[in-house]
């Protein structure tokens, strides 16, 4: 039997070493979820209620990747994220129909021709 010290001495760990240590093949997301379950003493409900927001695994505790573009993002949550990360996002674009008329606007082609004919 291999001791914990001998297993830990192999860096980086290989699939064979992981198997010897008792691990099964799994995705990184599954491994994170398993670690969260371990941290919460096997209580699935505690994973959702986890307040260890400084833990690097906290955003991944649901078992899904929160930063993938394929996720449907709540616009309010996305705005909060972008603000917290200092991401410069342009504000809403004003609709041309709702904009106040401005004297600096170029007149329509017909209006220009009308003005020339006067």
């Amino acid at each position: 039997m291999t001791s914990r010290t001998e297993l830990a001495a192999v860096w980086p760990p290989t699939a064979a070493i992981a198997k010897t240590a008792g691990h099964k093949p799994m995705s990184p997301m599954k491994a994170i979820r398993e670690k969260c379950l371990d941290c919460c003493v096997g209580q699935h409900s505690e994973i959702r209620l986890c307040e260890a927001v400084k833990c690097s695994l906290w955003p991944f505790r649901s078992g899904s990747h929160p930063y993938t573009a394929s996720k449907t993002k709540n616009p309010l949550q996305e705005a909060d994220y972008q603000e917290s990360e200092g991401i410069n996002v342009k504000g809403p674009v004003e609709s041309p129909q709702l904009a106040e008329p401005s004297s600096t606007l170029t007149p329509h082609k017909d209006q220009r021709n009308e003005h020339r004919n006067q």
Side-chain angles (χ1 to χ4, degrees):
M1 179 153 188
T2 308
S3 73
R4 290 171 50 177
T5 305
E6 291 170 329
L7 291 170
V10 177
W11 190 260
T14 63
I17 292 295
K19 185 176 181 181
T20 303
H23 294 280
K24 298 175 280 185
M26 67 176 71
S27 72
M29 291 306 304
K30 174 80 172 158
I32 290 169
R33 179 74 176 182
E34 291 291 320
K35 180 58 186 167
C36 290
L37 192 58
D38 177 57
C39 184
C40 291
V41 196
Q43 298 294 316
H44 290 275
S45 61
E46 290 300 315
I47 295 172
R48 185 177 187 151
L49 301 172
C50 178
E51 294 181 4
V53 296
K54 294 293 183 183
C55 173
S56 59
L57 303 179
W58 186 82
F60 303 93
R61 72 193 189 283
S62 69
S64 63
H65 197 299
Y67 303 115
T68 57
S70 64
K71 289 280 184 202
T72 303
K73 296 178 180 171
N74 175 327
L76 295 175
Q77 290 173 334
E78 185 62 18
D80 287 344
Y81 166 74
Q82 290 174 347
E83 182 180 321
S84 71
E85 292 296 311
I87 299 170
N88 189 9
V89 180
K90 292 181 181 179
V93 177
E94 190 173 329
S95 173
Q97 300 92 320
L98 301 176
E100 290 294 321
S102 172
S103 59
T104 60
L105 293 176
T106 306
H108 188 271
K109 180 174 134 182
D110 293 338
Q111 291 173 335
R112 286 189 299 222
N113 291 339
E114 206 174 279
H115 180 65
R116 287 183 191 157
N117 293 336
Q118 290 179 356

